[in-house]
Amino acid sequence: MFVSRRSEAMRQALEGADIVPLTMSLIQLTGDLTLLDAVRPHIRGPWDYSHSVPDDLAAAIRSRLDAELDRLAAGGQPALATPAPDRIRAMMSAAVGEEVPAEYVPMLLQQMSLVAEPAAPPEPEAPVDAGRFRVVIVGAGVSGIAAAIRLRQAGIPFLVIEKNPEVGGTWYENRYPGCAVDTPNHFYQFSFEPNNNWPRYYSHRESIWDYLNRCTDKYRIRDAIRFGCEVVSAHFDEASHRWRVTCRDEAGRETVEAANALICAVGQLNRPAVPALPGLADFNGETCHTATWTEGTDFAGKRVALVGTGASGVQIGPRIAGTAASLHVLQRSGAWIVRSPNIHREVSPDKTWALDAIPFYAAWYRFQLFWGFADGLFQALRIDPAWHGAPGSISALNEHYRTRMLRYIERELEGRPDLLAKAVPDYPPFGKRVLADPGWFSMLRRDNVSLETAGIARVEPEGIRLADGRLIAVDAIVFATGFQAGRMLWPMDIRGRGGRSIRDVWGDDDPRAYLGITVPGFPNMFVMYGPNTNLGHGGSAMFLAECQVRYTLSCLTAMIAQGWAEMECRTDVHDAYNRQVDDELSTLVWTHPSVNSWYKNAKGRITTNQPWRLVDYWRMTKDVDFSDYHTMAA
Ligand code: NAP
């Protein structure tokens, strides 16, 4: 079924493949579950560097697998193509060195593509008869592409309106040096479109952009995207039950599109945030934001200030420091930056071959990443009210992570107590995004780099005046200061029932939605990557998009099938959900008094992050409870 040709080179490639996915593949091929007992004691975590399967056992597994591949090539079949839930759970638990609860099995089977996705099969045999029903999707980034693919497959007509000249959203816009995914790439991909050819474990933006372009073409959605056109407003017309979406092209021409449903897929990381520093307008040198970095910008030989040490800052800093005359890092808070051995590694040809050619290997590899980079971390976010342990942590488990993370920083900055004192974050791990180290600490040790923590007083024509009075003279300021994430859907003028604006409901920075997707008063509108959906502990935006698309598609198909002109979230359901969100959040690290971040709005409420594990959100969005909605027949 899977393997058509075998060669000596392929046999040798087995040597370079990871032993745990190989073992799980072998178990599925042979049905020999006793292998679990053999490997279990040697797996201490989901990462390839946390396995110590003895050489003789690993050699025996590879040799048996080699024979199995020959058997398959001769037309044999796997013994356990779809293992029973208890067996698959035992395999999952062994594969990551800890117990995987039963509740994960259905979601993981779907994520591993070991079962077809029930709600939206890749090519449905009988698309719905959508008639004149039409959807407008705002944005052709990850979420908009996911939505468009599923609508295309379901046979629902749609138009995507994209302000950029290309697809990709954040992966199109962000071009700063070092821009790369900081989620393992074989997990940061659509589950329905696995890519076994990622060049790196954490690919650069170009590879991800290529991937999104390939998805756009493969699923034939490019023709349905209007590029270079920005949605300026969307107003719900109660008489026709339709959204009237006004778009403006690059020449300033406006057109109005009517839509039965509106999907806002603009995301949270859409509008860059540049701090309003006093004196900035009078600065003599160059300024730029990481998200608006243009090709050709080069700070070689210049004196550069880098403001911000989040995900973007930590990626760009080492790249600037390599060529700049000097780099002054202006840090407001340190980041928990962890060892990530694969961060710069290319995926070897052997592994690429294994992902492609060995049945089930890619699924098990994805599962390991899914677990290690997502819910396996969630309990470390929970505040233990009884915890009176070391300061800077919120529970015994959180302290365990802190100790490990601290040890890494101490090792990296050994002999530099000056840097160590500044670099160690003063808040618990996971309070802000934990970052994979792309060379940040070795950058800090460079002679041409300084780490400034005194705070910025103002910008002057020659540079940045710090709060302690020193002037940092620079030729350029790079802002890696993030996005206006809480100001969701801004600057679009979105008006629902009765002409009420979304800003009237949400204010400037207090967005709420049911499941992060639907908002009372805004019928037939679906938000992707909306309020309280950001994943703060790990996970992948692609996973999130798939959950939200599945839910939205179920709503749209019901509207079409039932002939509903309107579908609007009930206020009581929305309010109860948001109370639950806030209650849950109050138990998690992001609300801890020691943590200040863009997750919080001006009133201290967390508006961006979800308090759920991935498995919870997957379950909540898997099926629509239509009693949560008011519906109106056409
Ligand atoms: P960010 O996480 O919001 O970091 C912004 C940084 O700027 C923080 O260090 C912040 O300090 C600092 N800052 C903000 N305003 C400042 C001011 N007025 N003065 C001094 N410092 C200031 O932004 P980001 O790094 O662009 O990342 C945003 C999100 O984008 C990430 O969380 C992630 O979801 C995504 N991202 C992903 C990748 C990827 O590889 N997948 C890469 C880049 C970004 P404080 O911490 O003190 O607020």
Side-chain angles (χ1 to χ4, degrees), residues 75-89:
Q77 294 295 314
L80 288 176
T82 312
D86 57 332
R87 288 183 173 180
I88 200 93
R89 187 156 86 89

Side-chain angles (χ1 to χ4, degrees), residues 74 127 143 227 235 259 273 356 395 420-421 450 524 544 557:
S143 298
F227 290 105
H235 295 175
D356 223 23
S395 68
L420 189 64
S450 73
N524 308 358
L544 202 63
T557 48

Side-chain angles (χ1 to χ4, degrees), residues 176 180-182 269 275 308-312 332-333 432-433 480-482 598:
Y176 59 85
V181 65
D182 64 3
L269 308 177
T309 52
S312 306
R332 190 164 66 179
S333 4
K432 303 183 192 188
R433 190 179 174 92
T481 41
W598 59 270

Side-chain angles (χ1 to χ4, degrees), residues 69 81 129 185 308-309 355 357 495:
L69 293 179
D129 178 6
N185 230 160
T309 52
L355 285 161
R495 290 174 188 272

